[in-house]
Amino acid sequence: MLLTNEERYRPYEDWSTEHIEKITKNTESSPWRTSFHIEPPHGLLNDPNGFSYFNGKWNLFYQYFPFGVAHGLKSWFHTQSTDLVHFEPTRVMIYPDTRLDSQGVYSGSAMQFEDKLFLFYTGNVRDKNWLRHSYQIGALMSKNGKIQKIDKILIDKPDDTTDHFRDPQIFNFKGNCYAIIGAQNINKKGIIKLYKAVDNDYLNWIYINDLNFDNDLTSYMIECPNLVFINEQPILLYCPQGLDKNILEYDNIYPNMYKIAQSFDPKTATVFNPGPLEQLDYGFECYATQAINAPDGRVLAISWLGLPDIKYPTERYDYLGCLSLVKELKINNGKLYQYPVEAITSLRKDSQVFKEKKETNNVYELELTVEKDGYIELLLFSDLNKKGLKLVIDPANEKVSVDRKNCGEAFALEFGTKRHCHIDNKITTTNIFVDKSVFEIFINKGEKVFSGRIFPCQGETGITILAGKATGNYYSLDYGCKTN
Ligand code: FRU
């Protein structure tokens, strides 16, 4: 159902219960509902927000438009977890209901102060001429889930940016509290701004400078920047929209990239010796990744498995978007690794030796080993006519590729159906998580990652080996009862 502009920005309380019941029923009838990935109960999900540990639980919010599949009036929907694998949906936690966020509670992050969780986000406001104003604002969530909004702009838009100024990430560095914010400068280039909380007071921010990270200045906007530290080494993750492909080749409509640097000096707003720009994920959908330095010492990340401006087949079931698994980030030999948190293995129900299968429930994990000079060409979601998602693991030629051309319902064709990446032939294992309409493929325990959506047609549930061989296991996965 296409929504009009009036409907996209209609106040939440003006929607009828009948409408919500109708779209919920439609969503529930979808054959593509995932079994262990976070999805909206109905309507549209985009960026993960406010990822944090608070009150004995992991808290995770997402950008949410409940009433259809439009990027309309956004709120923050809240979920919580004790193991980072099972997430329990609670409710819409931050509504777009004040003068500072009247056209959307946009993306942001969270940090605990005393006994409250401070939620730092962008209030999207349109004036009567529909001109955008972006306010960096906040709210406090108490332990019993009460929200108290702070009726004050915490960071003003700088003079040298356009109104594209959003997605504050609050982080701690050596005992001090900072924030980075994505922006478009007045020359229409994507940049990142760095701020410091005076005396660690989240109400009092001072501007430091544009973050210096050898920005190529070819994108027109940087969304969702994140700075995390692994053993003091900074990793900057960000979404440079419109990045020049001469800087780095990519196929998706918008890329999610990262750089690993050597050190960070907040005084000069510099990440020193940033390495080359790299793709975070080689698949079809991975955007707006939110990463945190968790209190238990791990560096954790979660992504939106979706992209702006792409039409997905679930739209006819009145919902869109899902989140990735929670991934732990590590650096090995100077390279970034991303792999689902350890607790993911708790989903494994039983294991079988890997072999072809005519039929599965499309909820499983494969752990495969391909010999150094070996090769395998595999179809997931395959049917009897040898259609399916084609995965080629080719250590001998130092290549992995994924092709969704002959699988499920076609979508996003203009961005190509095939993705590939280089691997060196020390390749050992490939872990593949399949969940109804999601795949996440981790090469060498996260050295390279391919994530994506696929919308299988009836009968596309098999695993077919087209050529070559691999050894390993097939694990059926069981999440238990999913409530959203
Ligand atoms: C990224 C993004 C953010 C913004 C949010 C709005 O997908 O455009 O920059 O805060 O989505 O939903």
Side-chain angles (χ1 to χ4, degrees):
M1 192 183 82
L2 263 180
L3 299 184
T4 62
N5 214 36
E6 183 279 319
E7 287 168 322
R8 287 155 61 124
Y9 288 93
R10 183 184 285 175
Y12 279 32
E13 60 275 15
D14 291 354
W15 284 95
S16 69
T17 342
E18 290 79 58
H19 174 78
I20 295 166
E21 277 168 8
K22 193 176 124 213
I23 65 171
T24 307
K25 235 171 116 190
N26 192 22
T27 297
E28 284 168 357
S29 73
S30 163
W32 298 311
R33 295 295 279 170
T34 61
S35 87
F36 59 96
H37 284 81
I38 294 174
E39 288 189 304
H42 48 83
L44 179 145
L45 162 159
N46 57 304
D47 313 356
N49 291 155
F51 191 17
S52 51
Y53 189 77
F54 172 64
N55 196 22
K57 285 197 171 144
W58 297 98
N59 287 260
L60 177 69
F61 304 76
Y62 57 77
Q63 283 285 285
Y64 188 39
F65 176 70
F67 308 107
V69 284
H71 284 274
L73 188 55
K74 298 283 173 70
S75 53
W76 278 30
F77 190 96
H78 177 246
T79 68
Q80 54 191 22
S81 170
T82 51
D83 63 357
L84 292 170
V85 172
H86 297 85
F87 282 88
E88 191 194 317
T90 65
R91 61 185 176 87
V92 171
M93 199 55 89
I94 318 186
Y95 286 90
D97 59 0
T98 71
R99 67 183 178 100
L100 298 178
D101 59 16
S102 48
Q103 273 71 36
V105 177
Y106 275 12
S107 285
S109 52
M111 185 179 279
Q112 181 166 354
F113 287 87
E114 293 171 352
D115 62 345
K116 301 247 165 69
L117 189 65
F118 170 61
L119 307 171
F120 198 11
Y121 65 93
T122 301
N124 183 52
V125 171
R126 297 283 193 164
D127 62 21
K128 48 182 186 318
N129 301 318
W130 208 244
L131 292 177
R132 185 196 294 275
H133 301 277
S134 295
Y135 301 127
Q136 312 314 313
I137 55 179
L140 294 168
M141 187 171 88
S142 65
K143 290 193 171 166
N144 60 11
K146 235 183 110 230
I147 292 288
Q148 182 197 342
K149 287 199 178 176
I150 301 161
D151 184 30
K152 178 182 160 196
I153 297 172
L154 301 179
I155 295 181
D156 282 314
K157 188 192 82 61
D159 292 338
D160 63 351
T161 72
T162 69
D163 278 305
H164 290 286
F165 175 56
R166 55 179 177 265
D167 311 335
Q169 184 226 1
I170 184 167
F171 63 96
N172 196 299
F173 181 74
K174 301 201 166 155
N176 291 309
C177 188
Y178 299 90
I180 49 172
I181 303 180
Q184 178 182 65
N185 69 15
I186 40 173
N187 301 321
K188 301 270 163 83
K189 298 297 174 204
I191 56 162
I192 298 173
K193 295 267 179 196
L194 177 69
Y195 295 81
K196 181 175 185 203
V198 179
D199 299 329
N200 286 339
D201 175 2
Y202 58 79
L203 296 174
N204 190 2
W205 293 89
I206 49 163
Y207 174 56
I208 302 184
N209 216 327
D210 285 5
L211 189 68
N212 177 1
F213 59 100
D214 281 358
N215 186 352
D216 53 77
L217 287 175
T218 67
S219 73
Y220 58 81
M221 170 65 187
I222 289 182
E223 296 191 312
C224 303
N226 286 253
L227 189 57
V228 287
F229 300 89
I230 300 181
N231 301 329
E232 299 204 3
Q233 251 192 296
I235 301 157
L236 182 68
L237 302 93
Y238 58 106
C239 300
Q241 293 189 305
L243 176 86
D244 186 338
K245 293 189 178 174
N246 290 319
I247 303 283
L248 183 63
E249 195 56 54
Y250 60 95
D251 294 315
N252 296 345
I253 182 169
Y254 303 117
N256 200 162
M257 300 284 183
Y258 73 92
K259 283 185 178 183
I260 302 183
Q262 286 316 315
S263 60
F264 172 55
D265 176 22
K267 282 203 190 75
T268 55
T270 305
V271 288
F272 286 104
N273 301 322
L277 189 67
E278 308 255 11
Q279 292 216 54
L280 196 57
D281 191 296
Y282 287 83
F284 302 89
E285 275 94 17
C286 172
Y287 197 70
T289 299
Q290 182 156 83
I292 56 165
N293 275 95
D296 62 10
R298 286 183 289 180
V299 180
L300 302 171
I302 183 161
S303 315
W304 171 28
L305 295 187
L307 284 163
D309 306 327
I310 297 284
K311 280 191 74 57
Y312 289 90
T314 59
E315 293 190 12
R316 66 175 184 273
Y317 293 100
D318 292 314
Y319 76 103
L320 192 153
C322 82
L323 298 183
S324 71
L325 298 174
V326 176
K327 298 162 276 195
E328 185 175 351
L329 307 187
K330 290 184 179 164
I331 295 180
N332 275 334
N333 288 329
K335 284 191 209 159
L336 182 70
Y337 280 69
Q338 313 165 60
Y339 195 74
V341 289
E342 179 75 48
I344 197 71
T345 54
S346 69
L347 298 185
R348 289 178 180 178
K349 203 172 70 185
D350 51 49
S351 103
Q352 296 163 24
V353 169
F354 167 69
K355 59 175 184 345
E356 289 196 300
K357 275 179 170 289
K358 283 211 176 68
E359 210 182 315
T360 73
N361 63 354
N362 279 345
V363 180
Y364 58 85
E365 178 191 348
L366 291 179
E367 183 166 75
L368 303 180
T369 302
V370 180
E371 294 300 320
K372 255 190 12 202
D373 48 1
Y375 169 85
I376 190 166
E377 210 174 304
L378 194 67
L379 289 180
L380 308 172
F381 303 95
S382 62
D383 70 358
L384 300 174
N385 301 320
K386 301 222 164 141
K387 281 173 68 192
L389 178 73
K390 189 161 163 186
L391 169 64
V392 180
I393 307 171
D394 186 358
N397 291 305
E398 306 193 320
K399 220 174 126 179
V400 176
S401 67
V402 180
D403 192 342
R404 66 181 178 188
K405 178 156 124 230
N406 291 313
C407 186
E409 288 197 17
F411 68 105
L413 293 179
E414 61 275 41
F415 300 99
T417 63
K418 195 166 170 183
R419 299 287 183 269
H420 64 90
C421 77
H422 169 88
I423 44 157
D424 58 38
N425 75 348
K426 286 195 292 294
I427 185 163
T428 51
T429 47
T430 302
N431 289 72
I432 305 165
F433 293 84
V434 164
D435 185 7
K436 298 287 188 193
S437 55
V438 177
F439 61 89
E440 290 181 80
I441 300 170
F442 298 89
I443 311 293
N444 275 347
K445 298 281 175 187
E447 186 181 337
K448 293 278 162 66
V449 185
F450 289 84
S451 306
R453 301 300 306 267
I454 191 87
F455 300 95
C457 304
Q458 237 193 341
E460 294 184 341
T461 68
I463 301 172
T464 305
I465 300 169
L466 292 177
K469 82 168 199 279
T471 54
N473 286 312
Y474 168 97
Y475 297 98
S476 50
L477 301 181
D478 185 9
Y479 183 87
C481 173
K482 191 171 176 227
T483 41
N484 62 351

